Amino acid sequence: MKAAYIEKTGSPDVIQFGTLPKPTIRPDQVLVRVEAVAVNPIDTYIRNGANYWPLPFPFVVGCDLAGIIEEVGDQVRDLKVGQRVWGSNQGLLGRQGTFAEYAAVEAQWLYPVPDGVSSQDAAACALVGITAYLGLALRANLQPGETIFVRGGTGGVGAMVLQMAKAMGARIVTTARDEARAHRCMELGADFVVNHTSQDVKGAVREFAPHGVDVFWETLREPNFDEAVELMAERARMVLMAGRDARPPFPVGPFYVKGCSLHGFVMFKATPSEQQQAAEWINHALVSGQLRAQIDRVLPLSQTALAHRIQEESTVQKSGGLAGKIVLTPDA
């Protein structure tokens, strides 16, 4: 099979596109013929040598996928050959990734693709959608009528958070870097958008939420906690999902006096049942139209190295050039 893989960690240049053996499945796995995958920032960190866990070389990159089941293991009961499925959580904790024509995946990490939803849309919503749901529903416990601040409303996770928070009945304030992205945030459900390149974010958020926000969703790798805590209401919840090596100052006094709570998490450490709950919500929202995939561009799988360069420019180098996910499909 054709696959995008690495034999050592390093820059995007270490990514090879070539032939690897078609995977064989264990009794608890299914074999998926991949139709679409999506790039996530964590894909680039792992490829670059982030020492989270040992990698099996050659290592197929990528977490997300959508495709069609071609083979089912003996222990699998709820999935069948020919079924369309989507999932994430691959390429993590030592598992092989998804950027290949075929992937062997444990059944517990796969979910049915609803009728009328494309594989590209399903793949684009996978990791970012599960992350957004876990943070909003299971960590922050967002309630109807509450106010949430989302840093970067057109980012991969940010766009999911905006749509989900709107579906959950929240008031939403977010940031964008230009007028085009601000307009997009409003389309996604924001009630108020701050242009962080030309406006005072703290002042603008205070104007929208004079008593503070109930949930503060932080996407920055190096958060400004002093500013964030100032903008949080009594008993507000902050969600952190980035900045593994960050060590910013933290205003302990103002934070605990307000009775606030801090929730840091990574989706791949969530239990199968938690991720299943997220997937069911995502599927329902995709069918109802409450959730729409945000795709910046679609590339062939052979251009995985280019996709990693573009992703790194947007996130690590902070260009903010992406307005949605990079989706890749197997070459014709």
Side-chain angles (χ1 to χ4, degrees):
M1 69 172 182
K2 294 295 185 181
Y5 63 94
I6 62 174
E7 294 183 328
K8 62 179 180 179
T9 58
S11 73
D13 294 335
V14 303
I15 297 175
Q16 302 180 53
F17 184 73
T19 302
L20 291 179
K22 187 176 178 179
T24 57
I25 62 171
R26 302 194 311 261
D28 62 341
Q29 292 180 321
V30 302
L31 183 69
V32 179
R33 176 165 56 83
V34 177
E35 294 188 319
V37 297
V39 182
N40 295 286
I42 193 171
D43 301 346
T44 69
Y45 308 154
I46 294 170
R47 183 222 69 233
N48 200 39
N51 189 25
Y52 301 132
W53 44 75
L55 297 181
F57 292 113
F59 175 68
V60 177
V61 299
C63 297
D64 297 339
L65 85 162
I68 300 173
I69 295 176
E70 288 212 345
E71 186 180 350
V72 175
D74 293 340
Q75 297 177 4
V76 177
R77 298 290 178 265
D78 298 328
L79 298 173
K80 60 184 180 181
V81 171
Q83 185 174 3
R84 298 175 63 228
V85 290
W86 67 272
S88 187
N89 232 7
Q90 304 311 300
L92 304 168
L93 301 174
R95 292 188 285 268
Q96 285 287 357
T98 60
F99 280 40
E101 291 180 308
Y102 294 91
V105 183
E106 292 176 42
Q108 64 181 348
W109 304 122
L110 288 172
Y111 321 105
V113 176
D115 292 339
V117 175
S118 72
S119 290
Q120 291 185 17
D121 285 352
C125 290
L127 184 146
V128 290
I130 293 173
T131 298
Y133 181 85
L134 293 175
L136 289 174
L138 302 186
R139 302 299 190 275
N141 190 28
L142 181 68
Q143 297 298 307
E146 289 191 317
T147 300
I148 179 172
F149 171 83
V150 183
R151 181 91 66 183
T154 60
V157 173
M160 292 288 108
V161 174
L162 255 61
Q163 294 179 83
M164 289 186 185
K166 178 57 64 175
M168 294 174 181
R171 297 173 69 242
I172 306 164
V173 54
T174 189
T175 62
R177 61 182 303 202
D178 55 41
E179 290 306 311
R181 284 175 171 78
H183 179 71
R184 185 63 181 146
C185 288
M186 297 298 288
E187 291 180 334
L188 292 171
D191 297 289
F192 186 71
V193 184
V194 184
N195 186 326
H196 65 80
T197 64
S198 62
Q199 292 179 269
D200 170 34
V201 174
K202 184 164 64 174
V205 174
R206 277 178 170 168
E207 181 179 341
F208 178 77
H211 300 294
V213 300
D214 302 295
V215 175
F216 194 108
W217 189 292
E218 183 59 89
T219 60
L220 290 180
R221 291 156 61 90
E222 293 281 347
N224 182 339
F225 285 120
D226 284 294
E227 178 183 271
V229 173
E230 277 191 58
L231 294 174
M232 293 169 68
E234 296 280 330
R235 300 192 178 187
R237 293 86 72 196
M238 179 185 291
V239 177
L240 295 178
M241 45 150 282
R244 181 177 184 265
D245 298 319
R247 298 292 187 274
F250 189 86
V252 174
F255 185 82
Y256 89 80
V257 167
K258 283 186 174 181
C260 296
S261 58
L262 184 64
H263 303 265
F265 76 103
V266 290
M267 62 79 64
F268 58 83
K269 289 188 177 179
T271 66
S273 62
E274 288 174 331
Q275 296 197 42
Q276 177 73 40
Q277 180 180 337
E280 290 173 359
W281 194 99
I282 290 167
N283 277 350
H284 174 78
L286 284 170
V287 172
S288 68
Q290 293 176 304
L291 187 66
R292 290 172 291 166
Q294 304 302 302
I295 299 175
D296 183 275
R297 68 195 71 186
V298 179
L299 298 173
L301 194 61
S302 58
Q303 295 190 31
T304 296
L306 173 62
H308 272 229
R309 291 189 192 97
I310 296 169
Q311 184 69 61
E312 285 187 333
E313 288 173 3
S314 184
T315 52
V316 178
Q317 299 172 26
K318 302 180 181 179
S319 74
L322 288 173
K325 304 294 293 180
I326 303 174
V327 170
L328 299 96
T329 59
D331 299 52

